[in-house]
Amino acid sequence: MNETYEFYTASADYVRVRMPFVPEIGLILGSALGPLAAKLENPVEIAYRDIPNFLVSTAPGHAGKLIFGELAGKRLVCMSGRFHSYEGYDFEQLSIPVRLFKLLGVRAVILTNAAGGVNLSYRPGDIMIISDHIKFTGHSPLRGRNLDEFGERFFDISKMYTPELRQLALRCAGGSGLTVHEGVYFFMTGPQFETPAEIRAIRTLGGDAVGMSTVTEALTAAHCGLPVLAISVITNMAAGVLNQPVTSEEVDETGKLVSGRFSRYLERIIGEM
Ligand code: HPA
């Protein structure tokens, strides 16, 4: 993919005349973590398939629409349904959603995901605020022609998970009924879960949780100067930690189990942003 700036502005032009307000925060919710979207007040929905140059979501449990609405006194745009590399998209295509957010005017993005627990002190149902990531796939959403309108060719990502937002999220953890950690997210492309040997290697390399999303969106946000808060729900222990297979049923069940508390936690964070 080697699109021009106008490729992105065509999507934004379509959405801008249909959105009820300029959003302050862009939200991308992971699988089984969607209920927050249902809490948005005065929602206005735009289907992905109607937006020029946008992508269509194929993952089960992902709804495929942009929702504008208010929550905790903030104006939000929420992607209900996200895009993953394992669906067949190029990394470059995965820059599209966050660039749309940027063009619509958001001043920060929040990314959530389901992830496997690699750190042996984590438990399913715990929360991990992402402090940093490791991505060894060699791909980047910023590969190809650089669009100077969004950001510089070479850019620093040493603080891409915005320290102030991480501090805020940690402060909001008290009274949430959730166990909240900070840790390193290790990106794997999937769609297969990992081997036990991969998980041991990830642990040795410094990964605390493993998952198949978020990093492309966070990198796109960092490129265009948007602050990022990214949070994992540990839905299962990663492969080989327990003597049982990793299943999408467990991922979904744990996601559903914590989704109420997690939504309230996010709402509190959003209210303070
Ligand atoms: N590995 C990768 N992605 C995941 C996992 C996992 O164990 N759990 C939820 N998403």
Side-chain angles (χ1 to χ4, degrees):
M1 203 177 98
N2 241 329
E3 304 297 350
T4 59
Y5 186 63
E6 286 67 36
F7 176 89
Y8 297 92
T9 56
S11 309
D13 290 345
Y14 177 90
V15 174
R16 204 176 283 117
V17 295
R18 289 163 179 83
M19 66 188 192
F21 47 63
V22 174
E24 298 166 87
I25 301 169
L27 216 72
I28 302 182
L29 301 170
S31 41
L33 309 171
L36 189 76
K39 284 188 163 189
L40 296 187
E41 294 152 30
N42 308 315
V44 172
E45 299 185 352
I46 301 176
Y48 293 164
R49 62 172 177 276
D50 294 334
I51 304 173
N53 301 338
F54 212 66
L55 306 165
V56 175
S57 177
T58 69
H62 288 261
K65 59 195 176 189
L66 278 187
I67 310 176
F68 291 84
E70 286 151 55
L71 190 74
K74 297 290 188 313
R75 298 185 301 275
L76 306 184
V77 55
C78 177
M79 274 187 70
S80 185
R82 69 141 52 99
F83 306 103
H84 309 81
S85 145
Y86 62 72
E87 294 174 83
Y89 301 111
D90 298 332
F91 267 54
E92 294 90 325
Q93 288 179 290
L94 298 174
S95 68
I96 289 174
V98 169
R99 286 187 163 173
L100 175 61
F101 282 176
K102 173 74 178 177
L103 292 172
L104 296 180
V106 307
R107 57 174 170 80
V109 296
I110 301 178
L111 312 170
T112 73
N113 61 56
V118 173
N119 186 315
L120 296 174
S121 75
Y122 290 6
R123 295 286 170 269
D126 286 359
I127 303 301
M128 186 186 87
I129 299 164
I130 299 179
S131 58
D132 205 346
H133 79 235
I134 300 173
K135 175 184 72 60
F136 281 163
T137 63
H139 301 283
S140 167
L142 290 319
R143 180 169 177 267
R145 179 214 307 253
N146 187 59
L147 296 178
D148 297 334
E149 294 90 341
F150 285 114
E152 293 176 18
R153 167 82 295 178
F154 302 106
F155 59 106
D156 178 63
I157 56 169
S158 52
K159 289 188 178 168
M160 62 181 275
Y161 298 96
T162 309
E164 294 76 18
L165 293 178
R166 286 159 45 200
Q167 285 302 322
L168 171 68
L170 279 176
R171 274 205 309 280
C172 290
S176 66
L178 295 162
T179 302
V180 178
H181 312 274
E182 259 201 308
V184 174
Y185 181 87
F186 197 104
F187 175 80
M188 293 290 275
T189 49
Q192 68 284 346
F193 293 116
E194 298 70 31
T195 64
E198 284 170 336
I199 294 302
R200 287 195 299 275
I202 289 169
R203 190 177 302 117
T204 301
L205 290 169
D208 295 299
V210 60
M212 308 173 193
S213 68
T214 302
V215 162
T216 49
E217 297 141 359
L219 284 167
T220 306
H223 181 247
C224 64
L226 282 175
V228 178
L229 175 65
I231 307 181
S232 297
V233 173
I234 305 300
T235 51
N236 57 283
M237 292 314 290
V241 174
L242 307 173
N243 187 22
Q244 64 187 48
V246 177
T247 66
S248 54
E249 286 76 21
E250 185 185 8
V251 171
D252 293 343
E253 274 168 29
T254 310
K256 286 201 184 90
L257 221 58
V258 296
S259 72
R261 269 175 290 155
F262 185 62
S263 292
R264 282 192 292 281
Y265 175 52
L266 272 184
E267 194 174 342
R268 183 158 172 216
I269 293 171
I270 290 166
E272 305 222 352
M273 274 174 70

